[in-house]
Amino acid sequence: MFDSFSARGFDSGRGWAVITASNAMEYAFEGTELAEDHQVRPSVFTRALAAGLTSGEADLDADGLVSINELYDYVYDEVRRENPHQTPSRSIHLQGDLYIACSKRRRTGGEGLPEALREAVSSAAAVSRLGAVSELRRCLESPDLELAEAACRALRGLVRNDVKSVAGEAARALEEVSVRPLPGLLDFGRVGQFQPAPHQRLELLGPALAHACIPHPRDEWIHAEAIDDTLDVSVDTARPGRLEGSLTLEGKAGQASVPVRVEVVPASVPRSVGQVPLPPPRTTQGRVARGPVAVGPTTAPRFAPVPPSRRASAATRVGHPESQLPPSVPGSPVTPASRPPLVGFAERLAARTIDYVLVFVFACVLVFTVAMFWAAVSGGDGSDDVMANVMAGFFFLGWGVLLFLYDWLFLRFAGATLGKMLLRIRVVDTRSGGPLSHRQAAVRGAVFGLPQTIPLLGNLLAFFESLAAQADPWKRALHDRTARTLVIHVDR
């Protein structure tokens, strides 16, 4: 062991040294707590001595070597901090410096700093390094990001490796340029489900270095985008309920966390609707239609109420299909602004075409696999006939079943089929605006898919029942009405 010190020229010390856990008038505290394995823990003194040598923290001047004096100073501070009634003592008779361990701690080199400041940072004198902290603090506030980042790196090195007096001052300097967002809490309040995503601006205070931060949302419904010296934060309104999350801002000198809250009010439908008087809307000729409108029981969905400022401009015309739908709130008609962005027949047909192609490709792969397996089992004779029979049987009997299973599973667990996902379309429950239950997904898939088990006739039936969405104010096909579902856009 001593060869490693002599090779570096640190073997000049001679003599002896004794470090004791306490003085002659005190007890050495051993501790009374037992570890989980019922083994007695080391004493306060032993624990501090071992920690200082193994971690390198006893190397107080960060020169890579632990001297006997540094070890005593470290152990003294640690023991007194844990037990003020115990005072470690030492008795030393030495000539020169005696080093007893090596450490991995090194003083920072100060790369990127002016020459004079770099020399002060790497000086062996703690007073010089302490004086350099004040100059590094001024560099942190510089608009020159390269210089500010170099000062930040130097201060972090002092915090890790230097003595406590220097490290504490360096840590306080870094705190001054840490990320300071304003406001400290983003509360979006109550927002209607499927409404456009609300936005709030988060300002970043402090010098230029404090603005150089990267946002890390902790939840998938939180979105953040850096715009100049601010962050634009928005929340997704697709999932109902009270949501609480956080946005972490990781900066050069530390990080900050901003709580984010929002209450997404679920879309709902009234349990029963009777005779509801509507406010007198204006017709296109400027005349006013008066009298109540009778509205019978219906399963049409009711979404977030329309603000009073928008009701007047969205009045319902007499005889318009919208006037026969249940109102959002008593006394106000349902308007396009009060309902979610619905999907038209053309977009639904495009999504269904994509689904047909994907299911057909899967069916071909499945049929080919079954045919090859049968051919291998049967010895390879008549594989073409097997392929033809399996293909014919599948398209006559299994196509509708496969469509049913495809719709059922994807709608239940993903909220949309693959074709709808590509076009940003989702199928939701009419009553709650949330995901479908197993029963709803199965009913919807059965009404649409199972009739197509009958070739040609079943396909025509599915096409015509889907055309019913053209005449429905809420663009619902027959399978939507049966399962009480609604097809909406998720990005509008």
Side-chain angles (χ1 to χ4, degrees):
M1 179 183 72
F2 293 103
D3 293 340
S4 62
F5 295 108
S6 60
R8 299 174 61 178
F10 294 107
D11 58 344
S12 60
R14 295 291 184 273
W16 55 268
V18 177
I19 300 177
T20 60
S22 63
N23 60 33
M25 304 299 294
E26 296 174 336
Y27 291 104
F29 182 72
E30 296 293 335
T32 59
E33 297 181 2
L34 295 179
E36 293 181 0
D37 56 357
H38 303 289
Q39 296 292 328
V40 178
R41 295 180 179 178
S43 66
V44 176
F45 174 79
T46 305
R47 191 160 60 246
L49 184 69
L53 293 176
T54 55
S55 66
E57 293 182 1
D59 182 12
L60 300 181
D61 59 359
D63 62 351
L65 296 170
V66 180
S67 68
I68 192 67
N69 290 321
E70 287 177 320
L71 180 61
Y72 172 76
D73 292 339
Y74 173 81
V75 170
Y76 179 89
D77 291 340
E78 292 297 312
V79 171
R80 295 286 293 178
R81 179 179 58 81
E82 187 167 343
N83 181 22
H85 303 293
Q86 181 176 338
T87 308
S89 302
R90 63 182 171 180
S91 179
I92 298 177
H93 182 73
L94 291 176
Q95 295 176 354
D97 293 325
L98 180 62
Y99 299 96
I100 61 173
C102 297
S103 78
K104 296 182 179 180
R105 300 184 73 178
R106 296 293 186 275
R107 289 189 290 270
T108 180
E111 293 79 4
L113 297 174
E115 182 66 25
L117 183 55
R118 186 166 62 250
E119 292 178 357
V121 169
S122 59
S123 172
V127 177
S128 298
R129 300 195 301 275
L130 184 61
V133 173
S134 300
E135 186 62 29
L136 290 173
R137 180 182 279 108
R138 284 192 288 270
C139 292
L140 287 177
E141 300 177 356
S142 171
D144 184 355
L145 278 180
E146 185 176 351
L147 177 61
E149 290 181 8
C152 183
R153 289 194 299 269
L155 286 170
R156 286 202 299 265
L158 294 175
V159 171
R160 289 193 306 267
N161 302 322
D162 220 312
V163 295
K164 290 186 177 180
S165 58
V166 179
E169 192 66 24
R172 285 188 287 272
L174 289 175
E175 289 178 1
E176 296 175 1
V177 293
S178 60
V179 182
R180 287 179 289 168
L182 185 71
L185 168 67
L186 292 178
D187 192 344
F188 288 84
R190 293 167 61 88
V191 182
Q193 188 181 14
F194 306 119
Q195 295 300 309
H199 292 255
Q200 288 194 26
R201 284 295 179 96
L202 194 65
E203 297 184 10
L204 301 175
L205 306 180
L209 185 64
H211 298 171
C213 65
I214 302 175
H216 295 288
R218 295 298 183 184
D219 302 272
E220 61 181 7
W221 50 271
I222 302 175
H223 308 282
E225 180 182 2
I227 301 178
D228 297 331
D229 291 336
T230 63
L231 290 175
D232 180 70
V233 183
S234 61
V235 294
D236 189 1
T237 61
R239 188 172 66 179
R242 184 170 183 82
L243 307 178
E244 294 187 2
S246 62
L247 175 66
T248 300
L249 307 178
E250 184 179 353
K252 300 292 183 180
Q255 63 181 22
S257 182
V258 180
V260 181
R261 301 173 184 170
V262 64
E263 183 178 356
V264 180
V265 181
S268 60
V269 63
R271 296 182 181 274
S272 60
V273 182
Q275 193 90 357
V276 180
L278 295 178
R282 291 188 176 274
T283 64
T284 54
Q285 289 80 15
R287 295 191 299 273
V288 176
R290 304 183 182 276
V293 177
V295 181
T298 179
T299 59
R302 176 172 64 89
F303 288 83
V306 186
S309 59
R310 299 175 64 177
R311 290 175 188 162
S313 61
T316 307
R317 298 190 301 273
V318 175
H320 192 273
E322 297 276 347
S323 64
Q324 302 303 318
L325 294 175
S328 298
V329 292
S332 65
V334 172
T335 67
S338 67
R339 66 184 187 182
L342 304 176
V343 180
F345 176 75
E347 292 174 283
R348 295 177 64 159
L349 181 60
R352 183 56 69 180
T353 302
I354 297 174
D355 290 331
Y356 276 155
V357 172
L358 295 176
V359 174
F360 179 78
V361 171
F362 173 78
C364 289
V365 173
L366 180 62
V367 169
F368 179 80
T369 303
V370 172
M372 291 299 99
F373 176 77
W374 179 261
V377 172
S378 62
D381 297 331
S383 60
D384 294 339
D385 295 338
V386 172
M387 172 71 79
N389 293 334
V390 172
M391 182 72 76
F394 173 78
F395 279 106
F396 274 94
L397 300 175
W399 176 253
V401 176
L402 188 59
L403 286 176
F404 160 66
L405 294 175
Y406 174 78
D407 274 28
W408 176 21
L409 297 178
F410 270 95
L411 292 180
R412 176 61 185 91
F413 296 105
T417 59
L418 294 175
K420 290 180 173 62
M421 291 180 191
L422 293 175
L423 298 183
R424 304 285 295 170
I425 296 173
R426 179 179 297 176
V427 181
V428 299
D429 182 4
T430 315
R431 294 159 293 185
S432 66
L436 306 186
S437 64
H438 268 300
R439 180 181 179 277
Q440 284 180 294
V443 169
R444 193 179 192 277
V447 173
F448 179 81
L450 291 182
Q452 299 185 56
T453 304
I454 306 174
L456 188 59
L457 181 61
N459 299 125
L460 290 176
L461 181 63
F463 177 77
F464 285 116
E465 70 95 2
S466 298
L467 277 179
Q470 292 287 80
D472 186 78
W474 289 86
K475 302 186 184 302
R476 296 169 299 171
L478 179 61
H479 52 270
D480 289 313
R481 297 190 183 192
T482 305
R484 295 187 177 184
T485 61
L486 200 64
V487 184
I488 63 171
H489 287 282
V490 296
D491 57 348
R492 297 183 184 178

